[in-house]
Amino acid sequence: MKILIAEDDELMLRTLEFRLKKDGHQLILARDGREALEKIDQFLPELVITDIMMPYLSGLEVVAALREKDQTPIIMLSAMGQEDIVLEAFRLGADDFITKPFSPNELSVRIKRFMLVHSR
Amino acid sequence: MIFFQALLLFFFGAAAFLIFFMTAYLLIRKKWRKKYAKWDSMIDLLLRKAIFFNESGSSADQPIPVTPRLRVNLENSRFRAQLTKKITAAKKNMSGQAGQNIKKLYLQLDLDTHAIKLIETGKWHLMAVGIQQIGTMELKEHLARIYRFTNNKNELVRAEAQLAVLNLFGFEGLRFLDVITYQLSEWQQMKLLKELSVIPHVNLTGIDKWLKSENASVVVFALKLARNYHHFELYQEIVACLEHLESSVRTQAIYTLTEIYSEDTSKKLLDRVPLEEYNNQLAILKAVKKIGDEADLPRLQGLLNTEDLEMKLSVVRAMASLSQSGMDLLMAWPQSQSYPLKEIITQVKSEIRV
């Protein structure tokens, strides 16, 4: 599966890259919202995983911009206590969210579930 | 002429010194940036190894492999600070086995010893950093060391200690409210409530005791806890706070009674209006708007004679929202067709429509 990860924390980005590459996914990395949108247009990922708090464009703006174009599944990464923002993300069209702190394995399982649902 | 030459010499000398200083500064900064970038990639690699430690087939008892170079670098306080910053940030983001592995690495590198050393320096800015680390890394064994700082004279130290205790023991950690004598700032109360909002809620006991604390900020915080976690059984204690000497406590009691109320709460609140300060009077009217009933209309009507426009607007809002009879009473009021009541009623009517 071709997955785009948008995350401004380099360690988190590399950790997710390492974990998901191990699962056999093809990864596209973006370090801010603006880069994420550019790479989405360029590489047409099948799944987008995006942090909420990012420079230039937030995760919410990425969701809103993406939903204007297509229905690519989106998983949001949010910090604890951001319930209002998560609700806003769902309203804008996000499909799922994972709350930080989270286990990379949990993300891996969620992606497998996504693949199952979308392959039906 | 000599003066002019001296001035010129001074000018060129100063310029040369400035250029030399700037070049040296930029070179040193570049060197440090390079060094930090190198350290960053070294630390990131180590952290990734730690996060996926078990997946490489290693047993949980084995130590996480650390390169000799990194061990040497650990002696450098700047490197250690950078490493600690990254480890604690990673711990905040990772849970499950990954989070446990990060904690294991932190302990393996003896960073907890350094955190304790920071706490023992007695310098408030270092103590706060050490306490924060203990909390983030969930080192419960160090509770005794940090608990006493929850009532430290330094605001930052005690704020970090209070948050760390919550991190370690969740709602149980709130026991520090029994003993603190320093005020909890509004900001600190917000941070504590935010911290609590992500901790699984357990049956919280002790609020009744905190509502009677001699520390007014503890009473305010207890009222917020009672409101957020719907402690209806504390109704009488909350009503008693309406008589507190501190205005901020009475304000908070009014807010809390807007969430935890019985049939006669609005009556009790309206009884307080003549005794209260202006801001609390407005808070009461706002509360009555939400929880009042038709029985409150005559008393609200009595407040319509106020000269204060803000108060008049609040009274009209409360009356109009209670029932249609409230609006009828307003319209029948003698001054309802003249300024300012006429304009206020029009405004409130449009608010209700929206």
Side-chain angles (χ1 to χ4, degrees), chain B residues 270-283:
Chain B
L270 284 170
D271 286 345
R272 294 284 316 170
V273 171
L275 311 168
E276 269 305 343
E277 293 170 5
Y278 180 69
N279 283 337
N280 283 350
Q281 288 177 333
L282 291 179

Side-chain angles (χ1 to χ4, degrees), chain A residues 9-12 14-16 18-19 22 80-81 83 99-106, chain B residues 44 47-48 51-52 55-56 86 89-98 194 197-198:
Chain A
D9 180 344
E10 191 65 24
L11 176 66
M12 183 65 110
R14 293 289 172 193
T15 304
L16 296 181
F18 181 85
R19 184 71 192 86
K22 237 179 151 186
M80 286 266 208
E83 287 80 9
T99 309
K100 290 178 188 175
F102 66 92
S103 151
N105 292 339
E106 183 190 344
Chain B
D44 283 356
L47 279 170
R48 281 208 302 279
I51 289 166
F52 298 108
E55 291 188 20
S56 55
K86 287 212 154 214
K91 179 74 176 70
K92 281 180 192 165
N93 283 334
M94 302 282 170
S95 65
Q97 191 56 52
K194 187 174 180 289
S197 72
V198 297

Side-chain angles (χ1 to χ4, degrees), chain A residues 49-79:
Chain A
I49 299 170
T50 175
D51 187 19
I52 288 179
M53 304 296 277
M54 285 189 297
Y56 304 119
L57 280 180
S58 73
L60 292 179
E61 287 167 299
V62 171
V63 177
L66 188 55
R67 279 295 167 265
E68 280 181 11
K69 286 183 271 184
D70 60 42
Q71 292 302 313
T72 310
I74 306 169
I75 299 179
M76 308 291 297
L77 302 176
S78 78

Side-chain angles (χ1 to χ4, degrees), chain B residues 275-339:
Chain B
L275 311 168
E276 269 305 343
E277 293 170 5
Y278 180 69
N279 283 337
N280 283 350
Q281 288 177 333
L282 291 179
I284 287 174
L285 291 171
K286 225 178 192 174
V288 171
K289 181 185 168 207
K290 193 182 167 199
I291 64 169
D293 56 34
E294 279 198 22
D296 299 321
L297 286 173
R299 301 186 67 191
L300 287 169
Q301 207 176 11
L303 297 171
L304 269 178
N305 288 325
T306 174
E307 290 297 312
D308 186 272
L309 289 181
E310 178 89 19
M311 184 82 75
K312 213 185 266 283
L313 176 64
S314 298
V315 175
V316 172
R317 275 187 180 135
M319 286 181 72
S321 64
L322 291 188
S323 69
Q324 182 55 44
S325 327
M327 189 54 90
D328 295 343
L329 270 175
L330 280 169
M331 298 309 289
W333 191 250
Q335 287 87 35
S336 66
Q337 294 309 312
S338 54
Y339 177 84

Side-chain angles (χ1 to χ4, degrees), chain B residues 177-188:
Chain B
L177 292 173
D178 292 351
V179 291
I180 57 168
T181 50
Y182 289 99
Q183 297 292 302
L184 280 172
S185 67
E186 275 295 318
W187 176 243
Q188 177 66 357

